[in-house]
């Protein structure tokens, strides 16, 4: 059977290449506008405190809470010191959680006899982390500040990629961060906890005034700084650099963000970057921005301007302040000067005049661990993979999982008639075929090709779900022929974004790359408290609703599912909700989600598209099938 002619059928009359982006944009704008209306009603310091407490509770809950650790400062070991003009660099090994090693540098000012101002520097996504940010730390230390800088998860001496897996920075963050999602946890719970424990450490140092701690960082470090402004009341002043803008501006720019920057449900609640600023009022805040940044400067300016009314409620004018630099993304020298002057003014330090520009210290001299890896320590540090794997515990039951699934699939959907339209039909080697499309949502279409065996009146139906939908028919010729030979009709479905419904590329990366189009789609849906998996399960249910409109099918019989590969997960979850669906065959069945959490070397290609975050806390998709 030659199915190639059917793979290229233009069987839908709609702008499907753009409608998924329009769908996401419209949902994002609707939620942000709702959030703006609620935020505009915040007009007193008391109302602001209540609003920020609400944001804080939601945000920490969306991460799955914070990990547990013993009270008090984290245990610390000194691995050596480096003498520098005006200060000494202590090479430290902190233990934010039992068994976890966090390499750090403490820049100790010479001549300080009591507690004074300190700055916690939170690193951006530079692979070498604290080593790469030593110029920033030197800039503060040379002016008289105590400075602490720590390696984030997956960076510097905490980069822990193993053979065949991504190592370091955003690649490792995404790879390990995805493993947190199935059971409702989030990479940021660990990164935020690290920063909180770093402040615990600073508060215990005799050289530090616990009431005069400032925070700063660039890019991913600015993101951590902004979240600490929300989460930790001990921070006295902050200067995030090259991150803060607006959620809509980020969406429209097409930039991809990595795992710790995708906050589940944040947009769905109407929250935006302005809420991270508002939670810090009336404390001193300097927003540092690069005019040529890929984080849109227009959004930065609007957010800072809109946030000033929260300081004005407290009688504070001119806050937050905005310093713009004519440069690309990053923390430039002029920004260091501005931040140092800001912190000195607000933390009570008489600023030392900077000397000559210091030469950087060699990377090997700054290592806190043998060979520059916390995982070569004796005993070795626990990895993020191990922490997340050990935190996974299924707490519920299939009944609770079914309720969770039903709510997740239906929550953001608008029930409507599918309105099937048959666009083409014909005959092909012993079968008749029809091509058509229908509505999955008001602004999203689905499509498919129905093949019927000739000579069979009212055949029962088999529904096929595989990668590529109708554009992959020839790869499944034997399966198609087998279904037709059994006297059944076969409907090959293109779910949202599949096959001919694939969206136009949103950036220059491959559609299925780690930072490509489908990654961006999934990220926006996660922000909206949704997922592509939940949306596509609804697509399957909506497809079942089209069956009377096709006509000539036996609807009393079970609708069999012909599944192949990971898209079979959508069919399996739909079958848990729709009694008429029954799995007939499922070739190349993917691992259960629990195995993804436990597998240090899972297949990460487009894996986000097949996850329904949080469901695994109750049951795996296989458990739901077994419970029917």
């Amino acid at each position: 059977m030659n199915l190639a002619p059917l793979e290229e059928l233009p069987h839908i009359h709609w702008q499907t290449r753009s409608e998924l982006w329009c769908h996401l944009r419209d949902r994002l704008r609707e939620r942000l506008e709702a959030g703006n209306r609620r935020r505009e009603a915040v007009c007193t310091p008391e109302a602001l405190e209540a609003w920020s407490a609400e944001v804080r509770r939601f945000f920490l809950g969306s991460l799955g809470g914070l990990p547990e650790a013993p009270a008090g400062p984290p245990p610390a070991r000194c691995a050596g010191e480096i003498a520098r003009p005006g200060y000494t660099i202590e090479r430290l090994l902190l233990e934010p959680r039992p068994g976890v090693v966090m390499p750090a540098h403490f820049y100790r000012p010479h001549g300080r006899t009591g507690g004074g101002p300190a700055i916690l520097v939170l690193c951006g996504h530079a692979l070498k982390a604290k080593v790469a940010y030593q110029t920033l730390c030197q800039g503060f230390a040379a002016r008289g500040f105590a400075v602490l800088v720590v390696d984030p998860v997956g960076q510097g001496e905490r980069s822990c990629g193993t053979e065949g897996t991504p190592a370091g920075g955003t690649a490792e963050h995404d790879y390990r961060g995805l493993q947190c999602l199935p059971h409702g946890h989030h990479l940021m719970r660990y990164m935020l906890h690290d920063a909180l424990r770093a402040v615990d450490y600073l508060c215990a140092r005799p050289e530090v005034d616990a009431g005069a701690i400032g925070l700063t960082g660039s890019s991913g470090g600015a993101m951590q700084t902004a979240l600490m402004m929300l989460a930790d009341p001990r921070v006295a002043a902050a200067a995030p650099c090259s991150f803060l803008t607006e959620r809509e501006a980020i969406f429209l720019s097409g930039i991809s963000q990595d795992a710790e920057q995708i906050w589940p449900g944040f947009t769905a609640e109407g929250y935006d970057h302005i809420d991270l600023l508002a939670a810090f009022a009336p404390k001193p805040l300097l927003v540092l921005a690069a005019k040529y940044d890929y984080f849109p400067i227009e959004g930065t300016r609007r957010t800072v301007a809109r946030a000033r009314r929260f300081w004005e409620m407290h009688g504070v004018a001119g806050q937050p302040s905005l310093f713009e630099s004519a440069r690309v993304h990053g923390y430039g020298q002029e920004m260091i000067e501005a931040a140092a002057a800001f912190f000195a003014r607000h933390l009570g330090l008489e600023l030392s005049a900077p000397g000559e520009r210091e030469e950087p210290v060699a990377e090997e001299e700054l290592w806190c661990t043998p060979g520059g890896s916390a995982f070569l320590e004796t005993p070795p540090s626990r990895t993020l993979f191990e922490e997340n794997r050990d935190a996974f515990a299924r707490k519920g039951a299939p009944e609770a999982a079914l309720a969770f699934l039903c709510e997740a699939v239906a929550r953001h959907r608008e029930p409507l008639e599918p309105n099937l339209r048959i666009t083409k039909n014909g005959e092909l080697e012993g079968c008749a075929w029809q091509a058509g499309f229908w509505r999955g949502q008001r602004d999203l279409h689905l499509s498919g090709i129905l093949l019927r065996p000739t000579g069979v009146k009212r055949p029962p139906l088999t529904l096929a779900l595989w990668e590529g939908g109708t554009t992959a028919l020839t790869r499944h010729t034997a399966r198609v022929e087998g279904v037709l030979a059994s006297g059944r009709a076969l409907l090959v479905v293109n779910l949202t974004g599949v096959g001919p419904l694939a969206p136009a590329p949103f950036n220059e990366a491959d559609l299925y790359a780690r930072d490509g189009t489908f990654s961006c789609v999934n990220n926006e849906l996660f922000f909206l408290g949704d997922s592509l998996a939940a949306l596509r399960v609804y697509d399957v249910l909506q497809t079942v609703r089209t069956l009377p409109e096709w006509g000539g099918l036996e609807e009393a019989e079970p609708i069999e599912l012909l599944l192949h590969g990971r898209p079979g997960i959508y069919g399996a979850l739909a079958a848990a909700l729709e009694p008429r669906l029954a799995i007939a065959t499922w070739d190349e069945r993917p691992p259960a989600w629990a195995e993804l959490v436990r597998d240090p070397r899972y297949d990460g290609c487009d894996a986000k598209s097949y996850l329904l975050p949080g469901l695994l806390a109750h049951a795996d998709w296989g458990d739901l099938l077994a419970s029917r």
Side-chain angles (χ1 to χ4, degrees), residues 439-452:
R439 290 187 181 274
Q441 289 291 285
R442 177 174 51 83
D443 52 359
L444 290 173
H445 288 88
L446 314 174
S447 70
I449 295 177
L450 176 67
L451 300 102
R452 307 171 191 255

PDB file of all heavy atoms in Angstrom, residues 439-452:
ATOM      1  N   ARG A 439     -12.154  21.314  15.615  1.00  0.00           N
ATOM      2  CA  ARG A 439     -11.654  22.170  16.688  1.00  0.00           C
ATOM      3  C   ARG A 439     -11.337  21.338  17.932  1.00  0.00           C
ATOM      4  O   ARG A 439     -12.163  20.581  18.414  1.00  0.00           O
ATOM      5  CB  ARG A 439     -12.689  23.247  17.048  1.00  0.00           C
ATOM      6  CG  ARG A 439     -12.867  24.299  15.963  1.00  0.00           C
ATOM      7  CD  ARG A 439     -13.772  25.423  16.455  1.00  0.00           C
ATOM      8  NE  ARG A 439     -13.962  26.430  15.408  1.00  0.00           N
ATOM      9  CZ  ARG A 439     -13.135  27.448  15.180  1.00  0.00           C
ATOM     10  NH1 ARG A 439     -12.064  27.591  15.937  1.00  0.00           N
ATOM     11  NH2 ARG A 439     -13.370  28.311  14.213  1.00  0.00           N
ATOM     12  N   GLY A 440     -10.111  21.547  18.433  1.00  0.00           N
ATOM     13  CA  GLY A 440      -9.776  20.998  19.736  1.00  0.00           C
ATOM     14  C   GLY A 440     -10.130  22.007  20.813  1.00  0.00           C
ATOM     15  O   GLY A 440     -10.681  21.669  21.855  1.00  0.00           O
ATOM     16  N   GLN A 441      -9.803  23.272  20.526  1.00  0.00           N
ATOM     17  CA  GLN A 441     -10.183  24.408  21.353  1.00  0.00           C
ATOM     18  C   GLN A 441     -10.725  25.494  20.428  1.00  0.00           C
ATOM     19  O   GLN A 441     -10.645  25.380  19.203  1.00  0.00           O
ATOM     20  CB  GLN A 441      -8.987  24.939  22.134  1.00  0.00           C
ATOM     21  CG  GLN A 441      -8.526  24.019  23.262  1.00  0.00           C
ATOM     22  CD  GLN A 441      -9.536  23.975  24.387  1.00  0.00           C
ATOM     23  OE1 GLN A 441      -9.669  24.890  25.169  1.00  0.00           O
ATOM     24  NE2 GLN A 441     -10.265  22.876  24.474  1.00  0.00           N
ATOM     25  N   ARG A 442     -11.258  26.529  21.019  1.00  0.00           N
ATOM     26  CA  ARG A 442     -11.826  27.615  20.216  1.00  0.00           C
ATOM     27  C   ARG A 442     -10.826  28.140  19.201  1.00  0.00           C
ATOM     28  O   ARG A 442     -11.181  28.493  18.088  1.00  0.00           O
ATOM     29  CB  ARG A 442     -12.286  28.738  21.155  1.00  0.00           C
ATOM     30  CG  ARG A 442     -12.840  29.967  20.462  1.00  0.00           C
ATOM     31  CD  ARG A 442     -13.394  30.954  21.486  1.00  0.00           C
ATOM     32  NE  ARG A 442     -12.421  31.231  22.537  1.00  0.00           N
ATOM     33  CZ  ARG A 442     -11.439  32.122  22.426  1.00  0.00           C
ATOM     34  NH1 ARG A 442     -11.284  32.810  21.312  1.00  0.00           N
ATOM     35  NH2 ARG A 442     -10.602  32.317  23.432  1.00  0.00           N
ATOM     36  N   ASP A 443      -9.535  28.165  19.585  1.00  0.00           N
ATOM     37  CA  ASP A 443      -8.521  28.730  18.701  1.00  0.00           C
ATOM     38  C   ASP A 443      -7.425  27.739  18.340  1.00  0.00           C
ATOM     39  O   ASP A 443      -6.344  28.116  17.913  1.00  0.00           O
ATOM     40  CB  ASP A 443      -7.899  29.967  19.357  1.00  0.00           C
ATOM     41  CG  ASP A 443      -7.412  29.691  20.778  1.00  0.00           C
ATOM     42  OD1 ASP A 443      -7.584  28.553  21.255  1.00  0.00           O
ATOM     43  OD2 ASP A 443      -6.861  30.612  21.403  1.00  0.00           O
ATOM     44  N   LEU A 444      -7.690  26.441  18.524  1.00  0.00           N
ATOM     45  CA  LEU A 444      -6.734  25.398  18.157  1.00  0.00           C
ATOM     46  C   LEU A 444      -7.437  24.306  17.369  1.00  0.00           C
ATOM     47  O   LEU A 444      -8.524  23.852  17.766  1.00  0.00           O
ATOM     48  CB  LEU A 444      -6.094  24.780  19.407  1.00  0.00           C
ATOM     49  CG  LEU A 444      -5.120  25.648  20.212  1.00  0.00           C
ATOM     50  CD1 LEU A 444      -4.714  24.934  21.492  1.00  0.00           C
ATOM     51  CD2 LEU A 444      -3.897  25.999  19.386  1.00  0.00           C
ATOM     52  N   HIS A 445      -6.819  23.894  16.280  1.00  0.00           N
ATOM     53  CA  HIS A 445      -7.417  22.861  15.436  1.00  0.00           C
ATOM     54  C   HIS A 445      -6.633  21.554  15.504  1.00  0.00           C
ATOM     55  O   HIS A 445      -5.422  21.549  15.744  1.00  0.00           O
ATOM     56  CB  HIS A 445      -7.474  23.327  13.983  1.00  0.00           C
ATOM     57  CG  HIS A 445      -8.498  24.375  13.735  1.00  0.00           C
ATOM     58  ND1 HIS A 445      -8.237  25.720  13.882  1.00  0.00           N
ATOM     59  CD2 HIS A 445      -9.803  24.273  13.364  1.00  0.00           C
ATOM     60  CE1 HIS A 445      -9.332  26.418  13.601  1.00  0.00           C
ATOM     61  NE2 HIS A 445     -10.292  25.560  13.293  1.00  0.00           N
ATOM     62  N   LEU A 446      -7.340  20.476  15.272  1.00  0.00           N
ATOM     63  CA  LEU A 446      -6.775  19.141  15.124  1.00  0.00           C
ATOM     64  C   LEU A 446      -7.116  18.650  13.730  1.00  0.00           C
ATOM     65  O   LEU A 446      -8.018  19.191  13.072  1.00  0.00           O
ATOM     66  CB  LEU A 446      -7.349  18.197  16.176  1.00  0.00           C
ATOM     67  CG  LEU A 446      -7.401  18.730  17.614  1.00  0.00           C
ATOM     68  CD1 LEU A 446      -8.135  17.753  18.521  1.00  0.00           C
ATOM     69  CD2 LEU A 446      -5.995  18.984  18.126  1.00  0.00           C
ATOM     70  N   SER A 447      -6.432  17.624  13.269  1.00  0.00           N
ATOM     71  CA  SER A 447      -6.752  17.099  11.946  1.00  0.00           C
ATOM     72  C   SER A 447      -6.424  15.622  11.897  1.00  0.00           C
ATOM     73  O   SER A 447      -5.818  15.069  12.817  1.00  0.00           O
ATOM     74  CB  SER A 447      -5.986  17.862  10.854  1.00  0.00           C
ATOM     75  OG  SER A 447      -4.602  17.568  10.909  1.00  0.00           O
ATOM     76  N   GLY A 448      -6.826  14.983  10.805  1.00  0.00           N
ATOM     77  CA  GLY A 448      -6.546  13.566  10.664  1.00  0.00           C
ATOM     78  C   GLY A 448      -7.030  13.013   9.345  1.00  0.00           C
ATOM     79  O   GLY A 448      -7.701  13.699   8.558  1.00  0.00           O
ATOM     80  N   ILE A 449      -6.669  11.754   9.114  1.00  0.00           N
ATOM     81  CA  ILE A 449      -7.113  11.020   7.926  1.00  0.00           C
ATOM     82  C   ILE A 449      -7.764   9.732   8.397  1.00  0.00           C
ATOM     83  O   ILE A 449      -7.188   8.979   9.187  1.00  0.00           O
ATOM     84  CB  ILE A 449      -5.936  10.719   6.991  1.00  0.00           C
ATOM     85  CG1 ILE A 449      -5.350  12.026   6.435  1.00  0.00           C
ATOM     86  CG2 ILE A 449      -6.374   9.810   5.847  1.00  0.00           C
ATOM     87  CD1 ILE A 449      -4.143  11.839   5.552  1.00  0.00           C
ATOM     88  N   LEU A 450      -8.991   9.507   7.923  1.00  0.00           N
ATOM     89  CA  LEU A 450      -9.746   8.306   8.248  1.00  0.00           C
ATOM     90  C   LEU A 450      -9.690   7.353   7.058  1.00  0.00           C
ATOM     91  O   LEU A 450     -10.057   7.726   5.932  1.00  0.00           O
ATOM     92  CB  LEU A 450     -11.200   8.653   8.567  1.00  0.00           C
ATOM     93  CG  LEU A 450     -12.139   7.474   8.847  1.00  0.00           C
ATOM     94  CD1 LEU A 450     -11.753   6.762  10.138  1.00  0.00           C
ATOM     95  CD2 LEU A 450     -13.595   7.949   8.925  1.00  0.00           C
ATOM     96  N   LEU A 451      -9.229   6.131   7.288  1.00  0.00           N
ATOM     97  CA  LEU A 451      -9.191   5.097   6.254  1.00  0.00           C
ATOM     98  C   LEU A 451     -10.200   4.015   6.611  1.00  0.00           C
ATOM     99  O   LEU A 451     -10.218   3.538   7.752  1.00  0.00           O
ATOM    100  CB  LEU A 451      -7.788   4.494   6.131  1.00  0.00           C
ATOM    101  CG  LEU A 451      -6.669   5.477   5.770  1.00  0.00           C
ATOM    102  CD1 LEU A 451      -5.858   5.826   7.010  1.00  0.00           C
ATOM    103  CD2 LEU A 451      -5.765   4.925   4.697  1.00  0.00           C
ATOM    104  N   ARG A 452     -11.034   3.626   5.626  1.00  0.00           N
ATOM    105  CA  ARG A 452     -12.056   2.588   5.851  1.00  0.00           C
ATOM    106  C   ARG A 452     -11.818   1.424   4.894  1.00  0.00           C
ATOM    107  O   ARG A 452     -11.570   1.640   3.697  1.00  0.00           O
ATOM    108  CB  ARG A 452     -13.453   3.139   5.580  1.00  0.00           C
ATOM    109  CG  ARG A 452     -13.827   4.417   6.298  1.00  0.00           C
ATOM    110  CD  ARG A 452     -15.147   4.928   5.748  1.00  0.00           C
ATOM    111  NE  ARG A 452     -15.470   6.280   6.202  1.00  0.00           N
ATOM    112  CZ  ARG A 452     -16.394   6.561   7.123  1.00  0.00           C
ATOM    113  NH1 ARG A 452     -17.082   5.587   7.673  1.00  0.00           N
ATOM    114  NH2 ARG A 452     -16.620   7.807   7.473  1.00  0.00           N
TER     115      ARG A 452
END
